[in-house]
Amino acid sequence: MWLYVVGFLGLYYLLRGYWERQVVSHLQEKYVFITGCGSGFGNLLARQLDVRGFKVLAACRSEQSATQLRSQTSERLETVIMDVTQTNSIVAATQWVKERVGDKGLWGLVNNAGTAVPTAPNEWLTKQDFVTILDVNLLGMIEVTLNLLSLVRKARGRVVNFSSIAGRVSLCGGGYSISKYGVEAFSDSLRRELYSFGVKVTVIEPGFFKTGMTCSKKVSKSILEVWDQACPEVKEAYGEEFLASQWR
Amino acid sequence: MWLYVVGFLGLYYLLRGYWERQVVSHLQEKYVFITGCGSGFGNLLARQLDVRGFKVLAACRSEQSATQLRSQTSERLETVIMDVTQTNSIVAATQWVKERVGDKGLWGLVNNAGTAVPTAPNEWLTKQDFVTILDVNLLGMIEVTLNLLSLVRKARGRVVNFSSIAGRVSLCGGGYSISKYGVEAFSDSLRRELYSFGVKVTVIEPGFFKTGMTCSKKVSKSILEVWDQACPEVKEAYGEEFLASQWR
């Protein structure tokens, strides 16, 4: 009896050891393009992949955050300024990536850029508030992907899209959950379409991690701003007490 | 033994009979606003609710379809021209509804207006193709709802949003599934927010019904148009054979 247990345990650790040794090789030759590297997950990933030896191409929205990132990383890491809501900016960044990766193609595209404000009960918001978030989290991701896909296909690479737990459960009003549900839909149809080209599509669905996005001060400030601009009818229906009980 | 079976069956039919008699009363006093009444489900629903005695307020995109609808229905049914992608048009229609429902409020808001083209593999499309669908199916629905919600609350009414089976499973590339996933997210957070006001929010998720939207001629035509405009790289990757095997 004990012999069997020891045998099984031995086999388990043997297979596990083998499995864990299956890591990606030749990291030094692989290009990864990451959006939204100024802060949060994008920033962490860029620095981590740089340490591992990847050739990281990091897109930031501001020159300031790009400079800061370069100061914290090796010479390999290069930065480009890109606003995912601007077609011109995406086209220019695509050209910049093309010049770097050449015939190797792009081994990884990580669509991380995103925003979570304004988030508030739906009725407090305007159409524009929804548009603001969808433009970054959903349409920005789609346009970046469409532009870079031929380079990813060249490397038989992978697309990694940042969704969220809010892409599975509609946790809050406003555009955030809507945009992340959209990311799930986009990523799933894309995954099936690219399967035969040897390109993988993955989603990441983080819960509540402590990044700039979940900073409670920032979220509260945004909600109070939205409340201030809500129409009198809505304010009367919800009442100051509701606001105070939730966010003040 | 047989006595038990007969007893249970009797009880079942008794309860079922009672349940089926629980229908909405005073239909003649209830206002229902439906978007996209020019064709498809919206058109069918407007005509059916009119027959049942509701006061139907039907929004159509063109005067032609509005005239046709009025010619097929009673004097009770009124039409308004509304384009759900235009804020001005929604605001004007809201005012029109307000004048009609008065203090009674809006018993039902049915967000049915929608479009499914262009639908094609994601990579064949441009950002604008996604925007076109999202503007109608998702942002149009959101803005109509935000504008009419205070009237719905007045009647402790219900919001009925048209999603789709494609709002659960990402069946195809392009904006359609993405928009319907978004409808699911929006409707679910709205449902929770309005619960304490006595307002219900429901989604309808049709499969493939024979409406104008699923007309295979129209869908094929749209796909061929998208293919014609796709960039050479994409055409080379997918190939004419792929197109022919799927849609020619």
Side-chain angles (χ1 to χ4, degrees), chain B residues 115-243:
Chain B
T115 179
V117 290
T119 285
N122 291 296
E123 210 178 346
W124 303 10
L125 300 163
T126 63
K127 177 185 179 180
Q128 187 52 47
D129 293 326
F130 290 85
V131 169
T132 302
I133 294 187
L134 289 173
D135 267 356
V136 179
N137 295 6
L138 182 57
L139 290 166
M141 174 183 289
I142 290 172
E143 197 171 24
V144 168
T145 307
L146 295 181
N147 273 273
L148 288 167
L149 219 45
S150 63
L151 296 179
V152 177
R153 186 173 16 239
K154 201 173 268 176
R156 295 176 71 89
R158 65 268 302 124
V159 178
V160 180
N161 291 339
F162 265 83
S163 175
S164 160
I165 176 68
R168 292 274 185 168
V169 185
S170 185
L171 295 169
C172 48
Y176 189 72
S177 250
I178 295 174
S179 72
K180 294 303 185 181
Y181 269 59
V183 167
E184 298 274 337
F186 173 63
S187 306
D188 201 37
S189 64
L190 192 70
R191 177 183 63 79
R192 277 182 282 115
E193 286 167 16
L194 299 182
Y195 179 78
S196 58
F197 294 112
V199 172
K200 283 182 186 158
V201 180
T202 313
V203 286
I204 308 221
E205 295 161 332
F208 292 92
F209 283 80
K210 203 176 174 183
T211 66
M213 195 172 272
T214 51
C215 164
S216 61
K217 237 185 199 169
K218 201 169 137 190
V219 173
S220 289
K221 186 170 164 276
S222 154
I223 287 174
L224 294 179
E225 277 170 14
V226 171
W227 172 259
D228 285 340
Q229 282 161 24
C231 72
E233 262 170 350
V234 167
K235 282 188 177 169
E236 201 194 318
Y238 280 80
E240 285 279 350
E241 278 169 33
F242 175 77
L243 182 74

Side-chain angles (χ1 to χ4, degrees), chain A residues 11-21:
Chain A
L11 192 66
Y12 169 74
Y13 280 103
L14 203 72
L15 286 171
R16 196 174 119 166
Y18 174 76
W19 177 253
E20 284 177 353
R21 270 207 308 283

Side-chain angles (χ1 to χ4, degrees), chain A residues 215-230:
Chain A
C215 166
S216 60
K217 238 186 200 167
K218 201 169 136 189
V219 173
S220 290
K221 185 169 164 278
S222 155
I223 287 175
L224 293 179
E225 278 170 12
V226 171
W227 171 259
D228 284 340
Q229 283 161 24

